[in-house]
Amino acid sequence: MISIEGLSKIFTSNKRQITAVDDLTLEIKEGDIFGVIGYSGAGKSTFVRLLNRLEEPSFGRIVIDEQEITSLNSNQLRLARQEIGMIFQHFNLLWSRTVKDNIAFPLEIAGVPKAERDKRVRELIDLVGLTERENAYPSQLSGGQKQRVGIARALANNPKVLLCDEATSALDPETTNSILDLLVDINQKLGLTIILITHEMHVIRKICKQVAVMENGRIVEQGDVLDVFLRPKQQVTKKFVEQVMGTNDEDEGVNHLINTYDRGKLIRLHFIGETTNQALISEVAKKYEIDINILQGKITQTQAGAYGTLFVQIDGEAGEIDNAIDFITKTSVEVEVIRDAN
């Protein structure tokens, strides 16, 4: 659906060149919710603005739905942009226009007849949950309602791609979740490809299927969200995972456990997908002559499924402990022995 090859953007400031996006190559599948995460200055906002040529690339090629965006002239680009919706962190609404008039604005520019325009606006107001607010002005709306207007406006021309540049960063956590739920609903109902730019890992965790991590203008890590959460390779990725998993606190707790328990084996279990719902500990305790002490754990949901970590102490005869661990391993739960005091 979206193919990006060797994309670069170089700015010149005070006779000095700054590379904001550096030789970026990426494939995004049709209908995917694709997350791009990075800290401030990573180049992610420049990257998303290059996709619809709000910023002109210095080098590289962008193909969206078999159309090479980077080779279009100004008239061709104006038409192509109708199929690429975009929403922003600070909403970018027209403050002198009502909700319905803000949503209708891109349709007016496209020359859509009024009757057809009004029909489309009503559909979009219902879709984003703003029924009975269509005559309100932006100053009369909450932050979440303003962003819903922004989403409806971005969908007005039935785009194939929706670009979201820090779309939830100005919102409180509860409102953020409601907007993310709306984006998932739109993705499922319309089959829309969504590219989500953010610096918040919980946003990626909640709705994205694939993620790319940016640092210094480059993609340093990418893959399925679940895989990246479970096995982050780069230091910047590990920091983002800590946002939702509290890895530092966990490591401190593990060190305490290692120094506390001097019997049996201390193990860490990694549950992925359906295995998080298994009554595994109860089954093992019934099957083998061992004592199991649950020490600490955490389960997190992603769009691709659940994963979790559980620390347990297993005490008993060495042979029974080994049999129990072998049984757990065969269930596809990953087992890591942290301390063996036998």
Side-chain angles (χ1 to χ4, degrees), residues 87-108:
I87 57 176
F88 305 87
Q89 178 179 356
H90 297 297
F91 321 124
N92 287 15
L93 302 181
L94 299 170
W95 292 85
S96 61
R97 283 178 168 244
T98 63
V99 166
K100 64 181 181 182
D101 290 338
N102 263 283
I103 297 170
F105 186 61
L107 298 171
E108 292 176 23

Side-chain angles (χ1 to χ4, degrees), residues 272-302:
I272 307 172
E274 293 181 0
T275 60
T276 56
N277 298 319
Q278 293 179 2
L280 181 62
I281 300 302
S282 174
E283 186 177 356
V284 172
K286 292 175 182 176
K287 192 175 183 69
Y288 299 97
E289 291 293 326
I290 56 172
D291 293 321
I292 299 183
N293 184 19
I294 297 176
L295 306 176
Q296 69 179 46
K298 184 173 185 177
I299 293 177
T300 300
Q301 290 288 337
T302 74

Side-chain angles (χ1 to χ4, degrees), residues 119-190:
K119 180 176 181 292
R120 178 62 177 157
V121 169
R122 285 195 299 271
E123 292 172 351
L124 289 167
I125 285 173
D126 289 341
L127 177 66
V128 301
L130 287 173
T131 306
E132 299 182 359
R133 300 295 287 162
E134 59 265 30
N135 293 315
Y137 288 88
S139 61
Q140 299 170 310
L141 302 176
S142 67
Q145 290 171 330
K146 290 172 189 172
Q147 195 56 283
R148 287 172 185 269
V149 178
I151 292 170
R153 182 184 58 187
L155 297 176
N157 283 311
N158 290 302
K160 296 176 181 177
V161 178
L162 181 62
L163 308 178
C164 306
D165 188 9
E166 297 281 9
T168 60
S169 295
L171 306 175
D172 63 75
E174 185 175 351
T175 305
T176 290
N177 285 331
S178 71
I179 293 297
L180 294 177
D181 288 339
L182 175 61
L183 290 174
V184 171
D185 186 52
I186 288 168
N187 170 257
Q188 293 173 346
K189 286 180 178 177
L190 306 181

Side-chain angles (χ1 to χ4, degrees), residues 314-335:
I314 303 180
D315 196 14
E317 294 292 331
E320 280 291 277
I321 293 176
D322 290 341
N323 289 336
I325 291 175
D326 184 57
F327 174 81
I328 294 171
T329 303
K330 289 178 180 177
T331 67
S332 78
V333 173
E334 295 182 15
V335 179

Side-chain angles (χ1 to χ4, degrees), residues 254-271:
V254 170
N255 290 333
H256 173 73
L257 295 174
I258 290 173
N259 295 326
T260 301
Y261 290 91
D262 57 1
R263 307 189 320 274
K265 289 186 179 182
L266 181 64
I267 65 173
R268 172 162 40 196
L269 307 177
H270 295 281
F271 297 83

Side-chain angles (χ1 to χ4, degrees), residues 16-212:
R16 182 166 156 263
Q17 288 191 336
I18 300 170
T19 303
V21 174
D22 188 3
D23 195 23
L24 191 150
T25 296
L26 194 62
E27 296 282 336
I28 299 173
K29 296 178 182 177
E30 182 177 0
D32 204 353
I33 302 180
F34 193 101
V36 178
I37 190 167
Y39 290 111
S40 295
K44 58 190 187 298
S45 289
T46 301
F47 161 67
V48 78
R49 289 169 64 86
L50 290 170
L51 294 180
N52 58 6
R53 282 177 57 187
L54 288 177
E55 292 284 357
E56 286 293 334
S58 301
F59 307 102
R61 184 169 177 263
I62 301 167
V63 178
I64 299 178
D65 197 25
E66 300 183 353
Q67 184 176 48
E68 187 174 344
I69 301 298
T70 38
S71 67
L72 301 180
N73 62 36
S74 57
N75 288 332
Q76 292 169 329
L77 180 60
R78 180 176 56 82
L79 293 174
R81 280 177 175 158
Q82 293 181 9
E83 297 189 338
I84 308 172
M86 189 166 186
I87 57 176
F88 305 87
Q89 178 179 356
H90 297 297
F91 321 124
N92 287 15
L93 302 181
L94 299 170
W95 292 85
S96 61
R97 283 178 168 244
T98 63
V99 166
K100 64 181 181 182
D101 290 338
N102 263 283
I103 297 170
F105 186 61
L107 298 171
E108 292 176 23
I109 294 174
V112 176
K114 188 176 186 309
E116 185 180 340
R117 196 164 69 221
D118 291 345
K119 180 176 181 292
R120 178 62 177 157
V121 169
R122 285 195 299 271
E123 292 172 351
L124 289 167
I125 285 173
D126 289 341
L127 177 66
V128 301
L130 287 173
T131 306
E132 299 182 359
R133 300 295 287 162
E134 59 265 30
N135 293 315
Y137 288 88
S139 61
Q140 299 170 310
L141 302 176
S142 67
Q145 290 171 330
K146 290 172 189 172
Q147 195 56 283
R148 287 172 185 269
V149 178
I151 292 170
R153 182 184 58 187
L155 297 176
N157 283 311
N158 290 302
K160 296 176 181 177
V161 178
L162 181 62
L163 308 178
C164 306
D165 188 9
E166 297 281 9
T168 60
S169 295
L171 306 175
D172 63 75
E174 185 175 351
T175 305
T176 290
N177 285 331
S178 71
I179 293 297
L180 294 177
D181 288 339
L182 175 61
L183 290 174
V184 171
D185 186 52
I186 288 168
N187 170 257
Q188 293 173 346
K189 286 180 178 177
L190 306 181
L192 198 64
T193 304
I194 297 177
I195 300 176
L196 192 69
I197 304 298
T198 184
H199 64 275
E200 299 170 302
M201 199 61 169
H202 76 90
V203 171
I204 299 293
R205 174 188 64 81
K206 185 172 175 65
I207 72 168
C208 294
K209 301 170 185 175
Q210 295 276 318
V211 62

Side-chain angles (χ1 to χ4, degrees), residues 37-42 44 198-201 211-222 228 231-244 247:
I37 190 167
Y39 290 111
S40 295
K44 58 190 187 298
T198 184
H199 64 275
E200 299 170 302
M201 199 61 169
V211 62
V213 183
M214 285 192 71
E215 187 177 32
N216 297 325
R218 289 179 169 269
I219 290 178
V220 296
E221 190 163 353
Q222 73 176 93
V228 171
R231 302 173 187 88
K233 297 179 178 64
Q234 302 297 321
Q235 189 59 40
V236 64
T237 312
K238 292 175 182 178
K239 288 182 180 179
F240 280 122
V241 172
E242 287 171 11
Q243 288 182 4
V244 291
T247 309

